[in-house]
Amino acid sequence: MYIPGSSKEQRTFEQFIPSAFKGRFYVLLKPVHGFQSKPVNWSVSIPKRILDIAAAVLVLSIFAVPMLIIAVLIRLTTNGPAIFVQTRVGLRGRLFAMYKFRSMTAGTDRSSGGPTLTMDGDARITPLGRWLRKFKLDELPQFYNVLRGEMSLVGPRPKLHQYAEPQSLEYRPGITGAATVVFRFEEEILKQAQPLDLDAFYARRIKPLKERIDGRYMRHATLWSDLGLILTTFRLVFAPGRIPASFRNIERIPEAVSTKKTDTDGLHFAAYQTVFEKADCELAVADSPEISSS
């Protein structure tokens, strides 16, 4: 799928006006008293919000009965509630309750002292939960978050407060997004890391890349790129894929990054970002034909 932002898509509104129209009404295109119109980013536009509402109503209506069946199955096969609720950071830093079908054993999430991140083969995932996560059915309750205006169809994934970055707070969190597609095997990647180093590995290598990929996409997103990303997400649920090349052997992490001593967190962030962000991001996107230019 093509990420917008090429020179063809940087043309101004004036270039789309027929020459005959320009000659007669060119005054309409001129700035008035220093005012210059600025195109609205699709990612924060009203039409996108309308699309979100329409899609949320449609999905919740169509899947109401299947969602009820899933909830009953969760209650019958495990102890605990059917819906998992967790506080996430949304647009402009606002906290909201994100809803998912519970796919793990009750009482083993972060709020109960469990690990923050989930690896492939995590023992906390229930048999039914593994099936729900495979087909992304555990995300269905998030369409209620979309309806409430807390989330969008496409955007950066909603973050826990310790992983939130200012760049991602400019947009509503999404059910899917560019980084979600590129890192669709994130749990398999995390499985390669040592359990004690899991949070540090995520913060050093994965989180900065996801922020950069999502930020680049959201700044140039269009209606058609969002629709293409949604269709790609559906396709990838059933299609096999591969881990981005730069994450297939994490043992090759440069020692300079893991051992670099700095006086401030800002310098440390700049150090690992310089090493990883450009190379890994380019490799991850290039290795994902669903996101790279076609």
Side-chain angles (χ1 to χ4, degrees), residues 84-86 102 104-116 124:
F84 171 71
V85 184
Q86 190 174 57
R102 183 171 56 83
M104 294 187 178
T105 305
T108 58
D109 61 289
R110 178 180 174 274
S111 61
S112 303
T116 302
R124 297 174 296 167

Side-chain angles (χ1 to χ4, degrees), residues 220-234:
H220 302 293
T222 65
L223 167 63
W224 303 113
S225 67
D226 273 7
L227 293 177
L229 195 56
I230 292 170
L231 292 176
T232 297
T233 301
F234 278 116

Side-chain angles (χ1 to χ4, degrees), residues 7 59 82 91 108 135 140 144 153 161-162 185 201-202 215 244 261 265 280 286:
S7 58
V59 170
L91 180 66
T108 58
F135 295 103
L140 284 174
Y144 178 62
L153 296 180
H161 67 87
Q162 69 267 37
F185 296 110
F201 172 74
Y202 180 85
K261 304 296 183 181
D265 290 339
D280 280 346

Side-chain angles (χ1 to χ4, degrees), residues 89-201:
V89 183
L91 180 66
R92 301 186 184 93
R94 297 171 184 165
L95 300 180
F96 70 96
M98 186 192 73
Y99 302 100
K100 297 179 68 174
F101 282 123
R102 183 171 56 83
S103 60
M104 294 187 178
T105 305
T108 58
D109 61 289
R110 178 180 174 274
S111 61
S112 303
T116 302
L117 301 170
T118 306
M119 298 183 295
D120 183 49
D122 196 312
R124 297 174 296 167
I125 302 176
T126 65
L128 176 60
R130 200 172 306 280
W131 182 79
L132 293 175
R133 294 168 76 96
K134 179 180 179 180
F135 295 103
K136 306 300 181 184
L137 296 177
D138 59 322
E139 312 280 357
L140 284 174
Q142 289 174 29
F143 282 95
Y144 178 62
N145 291 117
V146 174
L147 190 62
R148 288 166 54 95
E150 298 160 339
M151 292 181 64
S152 178
L153 296 180
V154 176
R157 285 296 294 164
K159 305 291 193 304
L160 293 167
H161 67 87
Q162 69 267 37
Y163 295 130
E165 292 287 346
Q167 178 175 306
S168 62
L169 302 183
E170 299 175 8
Y171 311 100
R172 282 188 177 87
I175 294 179
T176 188
T180 304
V181 171
V182 173
F183 285 93
R184 60 191 180 278
F185 296 110
E186 181 178 311
E187 293 184 3
E188 295 181 27
I189 296 172
L190 293 175
K191 187 178 181 180
Q192 301 179 69
Q194 295 296 326
L196 295 178
D197 299 329
L198 195 59
D199 285 335
F201 172 74

Side-chain angles (χ1 to χ4, degrees), residues 65-78 82 101 128:
V65 173
M67 289 174 67
L68 179 60
I69 294 174
I70 291 173
V72 171
L73 289 175
I74 293 174
R75 292 302 306 273
L76 291 177
T77 56
T78 60
F101 282 123
L128 176 60

